Amino acid sequence: MFHTGMRSGTAVQADASAPDSELYFQRCRWCHTTTFQRLLCPTCGSTELAPELSGGEGVISVRRGVAAADADLWPVHMAEGFVVRCRVDGPLHAVRPGVRVKLSGNGSSGRRPVVRLCEEVPLDGWY
């Protein structure tokens, strides 16, 4: 169960044995922009960010400028409109931009959410 701490703004793992993890994001009360782990709204600068529960579905996005320490993290554009960097549970050949993913309750990666692939991609990359 991943959630955004109300005071610290960090993701913490509350219960690794939960069947499905929960991911909380923030929505600005003024302009309704969604964001993840911020102190201020990136659009209007408001501090009034309300936590909301994500549906847990998203799409892997293109990653650029990846440091060696973050080589196993991928940006995932969630259905609610925010982006979160996640670890992806699945075969390496299938992890690429545009693939649908869902929040996984199986993985425990410390402070990062874990997502699993929703569709199996053939080894040669053709559908």
Side-chain angles (χ1 to χ4, degrees):
M1 171 178 204
F2 293 92
H3 60 87
T4 301
M6 295 301 291
R7 292 190 180 150
S8 65
T10 60
V12 293
Q13 185 174 6
D15 184 10
S17 63
D20 286 319
S21 293
E22 294 178 340
L23 182 68
Y24 285 86
F25 64 98
Q26 299 156 302
R27 185 179 305 273
C28 178
R29 291 188 176 152
W30 290 97
C31 69
H32 306 289
T33 298
T34 58
T35 190
F36 186 71
Q37 296 183 351
R38 295 283 187 109
L39 297 175
L40 299 172
C41 173
T43 302
C44 72
S46 171
T47 58
E48 295 189 37
L49 302 173
E52 290 187 23
L53 181 61
S54 171
E57 295 183 2
V59 175
I60 296 176
S61 298
V62 176
R63 62 182 183 174
R64 294 182 171 92
V66 179
D70 295 336
D72 61 340
L73 296 177
W74 285 83
V76 176
H77 188 93
M78 302 303 282
E80 293 84 5
F82 66 97
V83 177
V84 61
R85 291 175 49 196
C86 302
R87 299 198 193 293
V88 180
D89 182 21
L92 290 178
H93 74 273
V95 179
R96 62 176 185 239
V99 175
R100 290 183 17 230
V101 293
K102 185 163 179 66
L103 194 62
S104 173
N106 298 334
S108 66
S109 65
R111 300 172 58 107
R112 296 290 180 184
V114 177
V115 294
R116 61 179 163 77
L117 302 175
C118 288
E119 52 203 40
E120 186 63 34
V121 178
L123 187 56
D124 62 4
W126 293 96
Y127 288 92

